[in-house]
Amino acid sequence: EKQIAWIFNQTTSDMNKWKFLTESHRVDIFCGAFMGDENEGIELTCEIMKSACDRNINIGIDLYSPEK
């Protein structure tokens, strides 16, 4: 979540520019989450999800279980 927030904070907050960008290009964020235990997960706050939605950006997450 911190890395996604950092990315959004480094880019424009002008939603008209984001609309143009996402209409002319495929934009997404892909994350890998490496779990320490078998029954773990991650959580994204409503604020981050809203920021992604406002920018028309999908967030993909791959979960990796711990090695046995």
Side-chain angles (χ1 to χ4, degrees):
E1 172 131 354
K2 290 179 186 179
Q3 290 84 1
I4 296 171
W6 181 86
I7 290 168
F8 289 156
N9 288 331
Q10 300 303 307
T11 59
T12 184
S13 59
D14 183 337
M15 293 305 131
N16 289 322
K17 290 180 181 178
W18 278 108
K19 184 176 190 287
F20 173 78
L21 182 66
T22 58
E23 286 178 352
S24 57
H25 297 82
R26 180 174 175 253
V27 178
D28 65 16
I29 294 175
F30 180 79
C31 305
F34 296 87
M35 302 295 122
D37 291 319
E38 291 180 5
N39 190 18
E40 280 190 294
I42 62 170
E43 182 177 288
L44 297 176
T45 62
C46 293
E47 181 179 286
I48 286 295
M49 291 188 294
K50 182 176 182 329
S51 294
C53 288
D54 289 347
R55 291 166 173 79
N56 196 32
I57 297 175
N58 292 326
I59 299 176
I61 302 171
D62 266 2
L63 301 175
Y64 297 94
S65 65
E67 295 200 23
K68 294 182 178 187

